Amino acid sequence: MSDQNSKRDIGESYSLDNMASDGTTTLKIGQSDASGASPYTINNTTSSRWRDFKDSFKRCEGAISLNDEEELNGLTDIEKANIITSKSPLQRKLKGRHLQMIAIGSSIGTGLFVGSGGALNTSGPLGVIIAWSLTGLSIFCTIQAMGELAVTFPISGSFNVFASRFIDPSVGFAVAWNYFFQFLVLLPLELVAGSMTMEYWHTGVNSDVWVLIFYILVATINFFGVRIYGEAEFAFSFVKVIAVVGFILVSLVLACGGGPTHRYLGATYWHDPGLFANGFKGVCSVFVTSAFSFGGTELVGLTAAESENPRKEIPRATKQVFWRIIMFYMISLTLICFLVASNNPKLLGASSVDVTASPFVIAIQEGGISGLPSVMNAVILISVISVGSSSVYATSRTLTALAEQGLAPRICGYIDRAGRPLVAILITNVFGLLSFIAASGKQAVVFDWLLSISGLSSIFTWLSICVAHLRFRRALGVQGRSTDELSFKSQTGVVGSWFGVVLNTLVLIAQFWIALFPLGEAPNASGFFQSYLGFVVLIIFYFGHKVWKGNWILFVRAVNIDVDVGRRELDIEALKEELLEEKRELAMKPFWYRWYRFWC
């Protein structure tokens, strides 16, 4: 059969179209109808999809960098940083539901589920309540301040850049690198905690096998971009929220004597062994533990640069933090204090990677409920994967922002066409390989020293956010501007930020005292540096930056602070009109709706 006959046999005609602009090749088969369209088409998109996948790893074009002499010529370092971080090519793919769930449950992990056990043993029930209450109140004020800044300036690096912009570049440099180290260390810590969680079920599998599985899962989530991270965090946080709510309900039943053992405990453990385990010093010693458990709450600020509509979504996510503090921390921990004695032998020697000392699991076990401890351990497992994934997100975005400002190797600022800070993600994942010491038996020693580098990092970060907010408000006043041009204002205002500054400063002083004179031990250099090495590192970075850049100012003067670059809404007058209209519309709504919008 000739080629011409073959052509007729399959429908009179066929044509191979030229390659389209998107790379697809279309094969049309059959007789054309009156409109000229063919009844059958075969689209060969495989090669196109593969090429798009490969091309997505290429550097994003059009992004401003420190090499753009024409764009940045004659500007100061602060002005360059403000412009570059405001024009970062990170993709805005996080929706409101992602941000709200990240705010509610992103950092609920071993700090709450496991670390609270050691704190209960050290400080007693009332000590736990005091430490977590004060820290929670400070966090609420801090996140309100961060929300105001992040909504006004949804830039790459968020609060790490705010410290440079509104306080001093040396402060921003030191705080950002400490924050980077905090989450860099947290990744292997959580992977090891995950492998230890699996030991609860006596699988007999080598710990490093589980580390490998969790490592691949965490790396994959972040490798596929911010949208997948958002969806994964939404699912993980949803499970954690449901678990904590379920635990609260079960705990209420157990506390009232409705469990299988029918034991009515009441306030028994508050009388024996007592309200405090080690007096005032015991309370002071657990503030860092409470800070560790709240660590990551500020993560919603980093998402501002990748959210679809930060003006609408960040305020709602910020307000969710209040409910998270009340329900998922204060209520659950209060119930724990009624169900688990502070001198319970299972709490002795509890550490951040010892999941067997979780007071949540102990409470259910001693309540006589079978099956639920396994469920709670499964939730802890999900939590460590979630926090591990958030660690990769936090470190990669922080390192990218540092590179964009010229404060880290330039290659670390590489963002590909899919909006992924690819090099920063790879660096974080390479450091995560440290988690494979899980089977060595030396993990506790290694992680104690790693955590000492960044153990105070959350407190430094929160302190810098509050100070940056105060400096921003000061700059507005000095420059004749008002808060009317802000689409979201901190509900706690400058008073809340001052409270955050004072409390975080007092915590640092208390921790210095504990580091010098540790609880139940003689003063020693090793114990001091394990408790306070983070402050030493911060000081080294601070003065190191001043020597490097020749920056000897104490703080940026309010009159010189830039309060415009990086704003999403450039027309301030139009924004004011829009805000007034929204207020008028809200005033016409029922009281219950206005009350809901205020708190949620």
Side-chain angles (χ1 to χ4, degrees):
M1 183 182 296
S2 66
D3 291 343
Q4 188 68 22
N5 290 335
S6 299
K7 189 186 298 183
R8 292 193 186 95
D9 287 343
I10 62 173
E12 298 300 333
S13 66
Y14 70 87
S15 65
L16 183 64
D17 288 358
N18 291 330
M19 185 171 289
S21 60
D22 64 354
T24 61
T25 303
T26 303
L27 179 66
K28 295 182 178 179
I29 305 176
Q31 209 167 21
S32 298
D33 57 20
S35 65
S38 173
Y40 305 102
T41 61
I42 300 175
N43 292 321
N44 181 18
T45 60
T46 303
S47 61
S48 171
R49 289 173 180 169
W50 173 245
R51 186 173 63 255
D52 289 344
F53 176 73
K54 290 192 298 181
D55 289 347
S56 72
F57 293 97
K58 295 180 179 179
R59 182 185 288 272
C60 181
E61 299 173 355
I64 297 179
S65 70
L66 291 171
N67 296 324
D68 296 320
E69 296 294 338
E70 294 183 5
E71 292 268 0
L72 306 175
N73 187 34
L75 300 180
T76 65
D77 288 345
I78 296 178
E79 290 170 334
K80 291 177 181 179
N82 292 345
I83 292 173
I84 294 172
T85 54
S86 69
K87 297 183 180 296
S88 177
L90 294 170
Q91 293 190 356
R92 303 182 183 277
K93 290 188 174 182
L94 289 177
K95 298 183 180 295
R97 62 184 178 86
H98 296 143
L99 267 64
Q100 290 184 43
M101 197 57 76
I102 287 172
I104 292 174
S106 61
S107 65
I108 295 179
T110 52
L112 174 64
F113 290 132
V114 182
S116 56
L120 177 61
N121 178 252
T122 301
S123 66
L126 190 55
V128 166
I129 301 303
I130 292 173
W132 261 261
S133 296
L134 290 176
T135 306
L137 186 56
S138 172
I139 284 293
F140 175 66
C141 296
T142 301
I143 300 305
Q144 285 287 323
M146 185 207 65
E148 179 179 308
L149 295 173
V151 171
T152 308
F153 307 99
I155 59 176
S156 171
S158 188
F159 45 82
N160 295 314
V161 179
F162 297 152
S164 295
R165 180 172 187 165
F166 301 122
I167 309 174
D168 169 40
S170 298
V171 174
F173 178 79
V175 169
W177 276 108
N178 263 266
Y179 191 76
F180 171 78
F181 286 131
Q182 173 191 357
F183 278 96
L184 189 69
V185 170
L186 195 57
L187 173 60
L189 174 71
E190 294 295 329
L191 293 175
V192 170
S195 70
M196 294 181 69
T197 303
M198 295 304 300
E199 294 177 7
Y200 177 84
W201 291 285
H202 305 291
T203 60
V205 178
N206 187 287
S207 298
D208 281 346
V209 174
W210 295 117
V211 169
L212 177 63
I213 294 172
F214 302 143
Y215 179 86
I216 292 173
L217 179 58
V218 168
T220 301
I221 289 171
N222 284 270
F223 177 78
F224 283 105
V226 68
R227 182 65 179 272
I228 298 300
Y229 165 75
E231 295 294 349
E233 197 55 44
F234 180 86
F236 291 148
S237 295
F238 183 79
V239 172
K240 289 187 284 187
V241 167
I242 294 298
V244 174
V245 172
F247 174 81
I248 290 172
L249 295 176
V250 171
S251 297
L252 285 172
V253 173
L254 293 176
C256 295
T261 59
H262 298 292
R263 284 196 311 160
Y264 174 72
L265 294 172
T268 301
Y269 295 144
W270 292 65
H271 296 288
D272 182 19
L275 297 177
F276 299 100
N278 291 285
F280 178 71
K281 195 171 187 178
V283 177
C284 291
S285 67
V286 299
F287 271 103
V288 171
T289 305
S290 66
F292 178 76
S293 74
F294 280 111
T297 308
E298 71 289 332
L299 194 63
V300 68
L302 279 180
T303 65
E306 296 176 89
S307 63
E308 290 183 347
N309 189 350
R311 189 167 87 79
K312 300 288 186 182
E313 295 159 0
I314 295 293
R316 292 176 183 173
T318 298
K319 293 174 183 178
Q320 300 297 328
V321 172
F322 173 78
W323 300 109
R324 167 186 164 185
I325 292 171
I326 294 297
M327 177 171 288
F328 304 131
Y329 283 84
M330 298 316 304
I331 294 180
S332 61
L333 286 175
T334 300
L335 290 168
I336 284 292
C337 292
F338 280 98
L339 296 173
V340 181
S342 61
N343 60 355
N344 189 302
K346 296 178 182 178
L347 296 177
L348 298 178
S351 68
S352 298
V353 293
D354 184 11
V355 295
T356 61
S358 168
F360 288 76
V361 175
I362 295 171
I364 296 173
Q365 286 177 331
E366 299 202 345
I369 301 178
S370 59
L372 277 184
S374 291
V375 174
M376 205 65 218
N377 269 282
V379 173
I380 294 174
L381 183 61
I382 291 173
S383 297
V384 299
I385 296 172
S386 169
V387 176
S389 177
S390 295
S391 300
V392 178
Y393 181 86
T395 50
S396 60
R397 271 57 180 183
T398 301
L399 184 58
T400 300
L402 282 165
E404 289 173 338
Q405 300 171 77
L407 303 177
R410 188 181 305 165
I411 188 64
C412 296
Y414 185 102
I415 299 177
D416 64 21
R417 294 180 182 178
R420 295 169 297 207
L422 201 61
V423 173
I425 290 175
L426 289 174
I427 290 173
T428 305
N429 286 334
V430 168
F431 187 85
L433 294 173
L434 189 65
S435 57
F436 286 98
I437 66 170
S440 69
K442 300 292 184 181
Q443 69 267 28
V445 176
V446 173
F447 283 118
D448 280 344
W449 280 104
L450 287 175
L451 281 173
S452 68
I453 298 175
S454 58
L456 300 172
S457 179
S458 289
I459 299 172
F460 298 145
T461 300
W462 300 335
L463 182 59
S464 74
I465 291 172
C466 292
V467 174
H469 179 242
L470 293 171
R471 296 295 299 157
F472 170 62
R473 287 291 189 93
R474 171 68 176 163
L476 286 179
V478 169
Q479 297 177 26
R481 310 280 284 270
S482 73
T483 57
D484 291 339
E485 65 184 56
L486 304 179
S487 55
F488 173 72
K489 293 187 283 288
S490 167
Q491 292 173 311
T492 58
V494 295
V495 174
S497 292
W498 274 115
F499 176 81
V501 169
V502 172
L503 184 64
N504 283 307
T505 302
L506 290 176
V507 169
L508 290 175
I509 294 172
Q511 185 60 23
F512 182 75
W513 175 43
I514 296 299
L516 278 179
F517 306 101
L519 192 65
E521 299 178 19
N524 62 90
S526 176
F528 174 81
F529 282 108
Q530 283 196 12
S531 298
Y532 224 70
L533 183 60
F535 183 77
V536 177
V537 172
L538 185 84
I539 294 299
I540 291 173
F541 272 101
Y542 176 78
F543 284 105
H545 180 269
K546 289 201 171 294
V547 172
W548 174 30
K549 294 292 185 178
N551 164 42
W552 297 107
I553 63 171
L554 184 61
F555 57 85
V556 180
R557 292 183 61 83
V559 71
N560 297 325
I561 291 176
D562 188 338
V563 294
D564 289 310
V565 172
R567 289 186 179 234
R568 183 74 63 85
E569 296 86 3
L570 299 177
D571 191 335
I572 301 299
E573 294 304 318
L575 176 62
K576 288 181 179 180
E577 287 296 324
E578 186 178 346
L579 294 174
L580 284 173
E581 181 60 30
E582 290 177 358
K583 288 179 180 178
R584 284 193 290 266
E585 291 181 1
L586 184 61
M588 298 173 63
K589 299 291 185 181
F591 171 77
W592 66 266
Y593 181 80
R594 284 182 279 124
W595 184 87
Y596 170 78
R597 287 297 301 273
F598 178 83
W599 289 105
C600 300

